[in-house]
């Protein structure tokens, strides 16, 4: 038996009829960029997040990048980011010419915390980008308290956390703005690239709408130096279908995660710790062990596919070689990169498959 890390094809097949009909509707419409399909998804996603506005863009990296631009953050400014995250969080800051200031995460929740962030704040700090890593919300209440009153903006990177809840409410409207990715493997994934920003700030929403569309709000009139970063109507139509099943599919991930947590509770593994005030959506189920590489190859031998999020931390990447940041030490990010392993999890994964994974992990840990 082969157990894939995530079976995207099975996800499509489960809702094939609705997805095919949605795509056909766009093909028939004659409208292939912007238009009603995109606007309808924006309305539905804003409603889902309890935010006033959702502005779709081409991908998650652009969602963060264009937001920083809309907030006029640039050279000379500092932006606080986690030392352990997907590199896009950093790239967005670098593309604006601002400086990334990495902060180490907590090694149990994998998220950055207000106390550590506070120590990294300087007179140049303009924004903080907490990432809801692996699908578990960061403590955005504490982070917003820290930022408010100091003129620091909070941009949540929610690329891994669609539908997750913080103190009972879905994330998407707690901070100045929230950036989303609809990359196929995310909890709410398109059949290609996509992204969005949710916000209650009308000025920010208008600036983002102009920035994504050549700096224009009226055809052939250009107020600012903009980009072409739009969500395709085909992807919007697919996302409207997938938004309807998101909570159900997140619920299935939650059941599998609970099964993993109980089935592996006595193994010599560091399991993720979930604060009582969050409801994660288990984009990833991470475990940590000193014997990571051996565990990974043992599982692969039994047909179980795992991944590492992430094998090389951003500060060690060649992309950041020349940045002064590379000279700093980030032991938590290093520790995570060398010990973390993501077990298979996804809405179409069956209970028996998770059972097989648990057995195999227990065997590898000499617990069988
Ligand atoms: C996926 C991801 C992004 C980037 O999204 P893309 O749509 O792939 O550009 C940004 N941040 C995090 C944490 C992500 O996981």
């Amino acid at each position: 038996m082969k157990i894939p890390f995530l079976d995207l094809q099975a996800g499509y097949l489960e809702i094939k009829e609705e997805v095919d009909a949605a795509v056909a509707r766009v093909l028939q419409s004659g409208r292939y960029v912007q238009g009603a399909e995109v606007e309808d998804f924006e309305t539905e996603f804003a409603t889902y997040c309890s935010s006033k506005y959702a502005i779709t863009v081409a991908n998650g990296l652009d969602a963060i990048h264009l937001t920083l631009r809309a907030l006029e953050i640039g050279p000379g400014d500092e932006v606080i980011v986690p030392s352990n995250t997907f590199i896009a969080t950093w790239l967005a800051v670098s593309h604006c010419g601002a400086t990334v200031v990495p902060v180490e995460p907590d090694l149990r929740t994998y998220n950055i915390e207000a106390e550590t962030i506070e120590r990294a704040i300087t007179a140049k700090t303009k924004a903080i980008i907490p990432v809801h890593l692996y699908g578990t919300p960061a403590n955005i209440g504490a982070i917003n308290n820290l930022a408010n009153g100091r003129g620091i903006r909070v941009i949540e990177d929610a690329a891994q956390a669609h539908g997750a809840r913080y103190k009972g409410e879905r994330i998407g409207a707690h901070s100045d703005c929230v950036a989303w990715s609809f990359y196929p493997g995310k909890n709410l994934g398109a059949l290609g690239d996509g992204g969005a920003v949710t916000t209650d700030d009308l000025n920010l929403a208008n600036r983002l709408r102009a920035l994504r569309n050549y700096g224009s709000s009226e055809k052939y009139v250009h107020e600012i130096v903009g980009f072409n970063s739009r969500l395709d109507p085909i992807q919007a139509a697919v996302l409207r279908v997938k938004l309807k099943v998101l909570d159900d599919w997140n619920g299935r991930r939650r059941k599998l995660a609970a099964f993993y947590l109980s089935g592996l509770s006595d193994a010599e593994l560091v399991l993720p710790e979930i604060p009582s005030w969050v409801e994660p959506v288990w984009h990833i189920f991470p475990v940590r062990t000193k014997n990571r590489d051996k565990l990974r190859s043992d599982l692969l031998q039994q047909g179980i596919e795992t991944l590492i999020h992430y094998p090389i931390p951003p500060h060690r990447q060649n992309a950041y070689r020349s940045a002064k940041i590379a000279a700093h030490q980030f032991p938590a990010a290093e520790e995570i990169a060398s010990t973390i392993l993501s077990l298979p999890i996804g809405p179409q994964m069956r209970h028996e498959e998770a059972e097989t994974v648990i057995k195999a992990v227990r065997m590898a840990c000499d617990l069988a």
Side-chain angles (χ1 to χ4, degrees), residues 58-64 85-90 131-134 157-160 179-184 186 192-195 283-284 310:
N59 54 65
L61 170 58
D62 282 3
I64 310 171
T85 179
F86 180 57
I87 197 167
T89 319
W90 286 42
V131 179
H132 305 307
L133 203 67
Y134 309 144
D157 180 340
Q160 304 188 355
W180 306 86
S181 162
F182 305 123
Y183 176 81
K186 310 289 190 189
D193 280 307
H283 175 60
I284 276 164
Y310 297 91

Side-chain angles (χ1 to χ4, degrees), residues 16 26 95 140 192 211 239 283 292 333:
K16 182 180 186 311
V26 177
H95 283 312
I140 31 184
L211 273 171
L239 287 165
H283 175 60
R292 190 265 314 275

Side-chain angles (χ1 to χ4, degrees), residues 29-276:
S29 74
R31 184 77 199 246
Y32 309 123
V33 170
Q34 298 194 306
E37 202 72 55
V38 175
E39 283 162 22
D40 286 349
F41 171 65
E42 288 179 335
T43 304
E44 289 161 12
F45 191 60
T47 303
Y48 181 83
C49 295
S50 306
S51 74
K52 283 197 185 142
Y53 313 103
I55 305 91
T56 53
V57 292
N59 54 65
L61 170 58
D62 282 3
I64 310 171
H65 171 211
L66 298 188
T67 297
L68 289 163
R69 294 227 174 220
L71 297 172
E72 300 188 295
I73 291 169
D77 297 334
E78 291 179 357
V79 178
I80 292 174
V81 296
S83 61
N84 177 56
T85 179
F86 180 57
I87 197 167
T89 319
W90 286 42
L91 296 176
V93 176
S94 303
H95 283 312
C96 298
T99 304
V100 285
V101 176
V103 156
E104 293 263 79
D106 180 274
L107 275 172
R108 297 155 305 168
T109 64
Y110 302 106
N111 281 324
I112 57 172
E113 301 196 318
E115 301 81 67
T116 1
I117 293 170
E118 187 165 20
R119 279 183 253 130
I121 291 177
T122 73
K124 293 179 177 171
T125 307
K126 288 286 158 55
I128 303 166
I129 312 184
V131 179
H132 305 307
L133 203 67
Y134 309 144
T136 301
N139 192 347
I140 31 184
I143 295 171
N144 274 302
N145 283 342
L146 181 66
N148 292 348
R150 296 186 204 217
I152 298 173
R153 311 305 288 258
V154 175
I155 304 161
E156 296 171 40
D157 180 340
Q160 304 188 355
H162 318 74
R165 289 174 186 266
Y166 173 78
K167 295 194 174 163
E169 282 170 38
R170 282 200 195 107
I171 57 166
H174 290 90
S175 307
D176 295 307
C177 41
V178 182
W180 306 86
S181 162
F182 305 123
Y183 176 81
K186 310 289 190 189
N187 289 43
L188 178 59
L191 300 178
D193 280 307
V197 179
T198 51
T199 182
D200 284 350
D201 180 339
L202 178 62
N203 278 332
L204 179 64
N206 284 336
R207 278 189 74 82
L208 280 166
R209 285 194 186 107
L211 273 171
R212 74 174 173 186
N213 192 38
Y214 315 111
S216 164
S217 42
E218 191 187 328
K219 200 160 176 147
Y220 302 127
V221 180
H222 304 271
E223 305 295 344
I224 48 181
V225 179
F227 299 82
N228 176 351
S229 180
R230 300 177 296 217
L231 180 74
D232 290 333
I234 286 185
Q235 301 305 343
V238 170
L239 287 165
R240 291 181 70 193
V241 174
K242 295 191 85 175
L243 184 58
K244 290 194 202 131
V245 297
L246 176 60
D247 286 343
D248 177 27
W249 288 17
N250 279 340
R252 299 184 202 173
R253 286 176 180 268
R254 205 167 280 135
K255 276 196 188 132
L256 293 166
F259 191 37
Y260 276 153
L261 285 171
S262 67
L264 298 173
S265 60
D266 57 342
E268 250 190 76
L269 293 171
V270 182
L271 297 175
E273 240 172 67
I274 306 305
S276 61

